[in-house]
Amino acid sequence: MARTLTSRRASHRLAADAGLLVVAAAFVLPLAWVVLSALDPHADLRVKLPDVLTLDNFDAVMTPEITFTPLLNSLLLCGGGTLLTVACAALAAYPLSRFRSRFNRPFLLTVLFATSLPITAIMVPVYALFVQVNLIDTMEGTIFFFAASQLPFSIWLMKNFMDGVPKELEEAAWTDGASSLQSLVRIVLPLMGPGVAVVTVFSFVMMWGNFFVPFMLLLTPDQMPAAVSINEFFGNRGTVVYGQLAAFSILYSTPVILLYVLVARRLGGGFALGGAVKG
């Protein structure tokens, strides 16, 4: 009986390991294609080792028109939108976390509902509104819409992280004469550093990969971000320069990877609130 149970557990473990390997392969193969194709002068859709390793694909795309200007536009759009989103989400989540009201739950449910709205469903009225207020084809207008589109879920995330910060710490600051804004900036936000990092990374990544919004709201080619300019590698009649596309994809992914590396320490650091309210 014990031997049968042991063999059954072993078979279940092998099945689980096989399933994990299949999932891992589904993620590794596209990444392997990108890396290998970027170094292959004759890249195609197959995952294969290059006959000759070359950096010609990177040399071809590392120009101001193809890479540097679109990446700079992406950094301005996504960086500005992320800063605005995090600041507004913190200010909106603070009263929801610290003050009890009968309107809190309906407001949070409305925020949660807003996160489920498809972006394509609201782009037509947004486009008409931006034309009326002269924000079409402007970087600031696109930044505002980026922030507005990410704000509902960011408020929800920020509020949940903020609930984990003991209110007693703020009450001690209030006793010393601090205002609510000062306690938010000097006590709550530093203690919920991992939460702020999560909201920052999530907002930046969602904006960085957004193709539809800048494609609709920006008209000048010099203002297009990298998420839109990558479409230029798909030529007419199905012709695609796969090697240059892979090289550009690596360069395009670099800022997101660097951002995650910079905040990874904060993400894994925990809240460090042990013993903060004892005594």
Side-chain angles (χ1 to χ4, degrees):
M1 183 68 178
R3 184 176 299 177
T4 303
L5 183 60
T6 301
S7 61
R8 187 177 301 174
R9 289 178 177 174
S11 61
H12 289 171
R13 189 179 298 110
L14 288 175
D17 292 340
L20 290 176
L21 287 176
V22 172
V23 174
F27 284 94
V28 170
L29 285 178
L31 295 177
W33 179 88
V34 170
V35 174
L36 295 176
S37 297
L39 302 174
D40 190 351
H42 308 292
D44 52 27
L45 287 176
R46 295 175 297 171
V47 180
K48 59 184 179 66
L49 291 175
D51 297 330
V52 178
L53 295 178
T54 179
L55 296 178
D56 291 344
N57 292 322
F58 289 95
D59 292 336
V61 301
M62 292 184 69
T63 63
E65 297 80 9
I66 298 177
T67 299
F68 298 127
T69 299
L71 282 180
L72 179 59
N73 293 335
S74 293
L75 290 173
L76 292 175
L77 289 172
C78 301
T82 300
L83 290 176
L84 189 59
T85 299
V86 172
C88 293
L91 294 174
Y94 183 74
L96 293 173
S97 175
R98 289 301 186 253
F99 303 106
R100 297 292 176 260
S101 172
R102 61 180 179 179
F103 298 108
N104 280 13
R105 181 175 175 80
F107 180 81
L108 287 174
L109 291 176
T110 302
V111 168
L112 187 62
F113 170 76
T115 63
S116 64
L117 290 175
I119 199 71
T120 54
I122 60 176
M123 279 309 300
V124 172
V126 166
Y127 185 88
L129 175 64
F130 273 43
V131 171
Q132 292 293 326
V133 297
N134 294 324
L135 283 178
I136 199 71
D137 196 28
T138 61
M139 299 288 282
E140 57 270 21
T142 308
I143 289 174
F144 289 151
F145 186 76
F146 265 152
S149 62
Q150 296 302 319
L151 196 55
F153 193 69
S154 298
I155 293 175
W156 186 272
L157 276 179
M158 192 77 76
K159 190 261 182 189
N160 290 333
F161 281 111
M162 201 171 289
D163 288 342
V165 180
K167 190 175 181 180
E168 290 80 0
L169 299 175
E170 291 182 82
E171 292 174 349
W174 294 340
T175 303
D176 293 335
S179 63
S180 297
L181 182 60
Q182 288 174 329
S183 65
L184 170 64
V185 174
R186 297 181 180 180
I187 296 176
V188 177
L189 291 180
L191 288 176
M192 55 175 291
V196 176
V198 168
V199 175
T200 300
V201 172
F202 174 81
S203 301
F204 187 86
V205 170
M206 295 300 293
M207 296 177 191
W208 189 262
N210 196 311
F211 168 85
F212 191 63
V213 170
F215 180 75
M216 291 292 295
L217 299 182
L218 295 175
L219 306 177
T220 305
D222 292 339
Q223 292 183 335
M224 291 296 179
V228 178
S229 66
I230 196 173
N231 189 53
E232 299 297 326
F233 290 98
F234 296 89
N236 297 326
R237 301 179 181 178
T239 59
V240 183
V241 186
Y242 291 108
Q244 295 182 16
L245 174 61
F248 182 84
S249 298
I250 293 177
L251 298 174
Y252 174 60
S253 304
T254 301
V256 176
I257 297 174
L258 291 177
L259 175 64
Y260 178 77
V261 170
L262 289 175
V263 303
R265 188 173 300 175
R266 299 300 302 271
L267 285 172
F271 285 97
L273 295 178
V277 296
K278 292 183 179 180

